[in-house]
């Protein structure tokens, strides 16, 4: 027979006892830890937790795009995925792609793709840049 326990009270107690840290830190024995005592060194994260982090990070990128490049919503779905992918990877540095972004905004997708490939970023991310530039150029997955 399994014990019945009060989950909300237990979670509150563990948060009090372990502390609640939203950035990684080293615990008292040198293990990388986050949250409420999550030992990242030995335990890591589950696939479902990885997916949740990813979805939250994508939504953060979308919010950033809405704030800084609101015209991105006028792109078709494939090109929206490209610019979200770039924002996810580059963060604020995406704004340094002034000519590429201007080409996207005016619908000159060939020039946008060329600008993507002519960047330092393209040399850093390799095949990712070529794949995204192809999607930008054609609009087809």
């Amino acid at each position: 027979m399994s014990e019945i326990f009060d989950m909300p009270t237990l979670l509150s107690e563990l948060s009090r006892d372990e502390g609640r840290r939203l950035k990684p830190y080293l615990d008292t024995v040198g293990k990388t830890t986050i949250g409420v005592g999550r030992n990242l060194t030995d335990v890591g994260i589950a696939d479902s937790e990885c997916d949740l982090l990813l979805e939250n990070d994508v939504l953060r990128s979308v919010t950033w795009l809405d704030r800084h490049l609101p015209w991105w919503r006028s792109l078709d779905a494939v090109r929206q995925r490209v610019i979200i992918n770039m924002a996810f990877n580059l963060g604020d540095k995406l704004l340094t792609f002034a000519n590429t972004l201007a080409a996207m905004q005016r619908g000159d997708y060939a020039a946008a793709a060329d600008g993507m490939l002519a960047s330092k970023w393209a040399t850093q991310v390799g095949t990712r840049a070529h794949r995204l530039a192809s999607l930008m150029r054609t609009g087809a997955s």
Side-chain angles (χ1 to χ4, degrees):
M1 182 174 177
S2 65
E3 293 272 335
I4 296 176
F5 58 92
D6 179 353
M7 181 65 87
T9 299
L10 177 60
L11 296 179
S12 177
E13 291 169 348
L14 287 170
S15 292
R16 177 196 63 221
D17 296 340
E18 294 279 340
R20 186 178 188 90
R21 309 265 298 266
L22 303 181
K23 293 188 178 184
Y25 65 97
L26 294 179
D27 72 7
T28 57
V29 295
K31 304 285 186 171
T32 302
T33 307
I34 196 166
V36 180
R38 170 60 70 87
N39 177 339
L40 292 174
T41 301
D42 297 334
V43 177
I45 61 174
D47 277 335
S48 61
E49 292 165 321
C50 184
D51 290 342
L52 179 62
L53 290 170
L54 176 58
E55 287 179 28
N56 285 340
D57 289 345
V58 166
L59 292 175
R60 189 177 359 271
S61 294
V62 166
T63 299
W64 183 90
L65 283 167
D66 285 341
R67 185 170 47 254
H68 295 281
L69 303 169
W71 54 263
W72 81 275
R73 295 263 185 188
S74 67
L75 299 173
D76 60 73
V78 171
R79 292 179 175 108
Q80 284 183 1
R81 287 199 328 267
V82 170
I83 199 167
I84 294 168
N85 192 313
M86 292 180 74
F88 183 95
N89 181 242
L90 290 159
D92 289 343
K93 289 186 174 35
L94 178 60
L95 296 177
T96 67
F97 285 67
N99 293 333
T100 300
L101 293 170
M104 285 181 200
Q105 186 174 11
R106 70 177 179 268
D108 187 350
Y109 301 123
D114 291 344
M116 291 164 65
L117 293 175
S119 69
K120 179 180 177 183
W121 166 79
T123 64
Q124 294 169 331
V125 301
T127 58
R128 179 185 197 168
H130 288 275
R131 184 177 46 78
L132 293 177
S134 177
L135 292 171
M136 179 59 64
R137 190 178 308 279
T138 65
S141 294

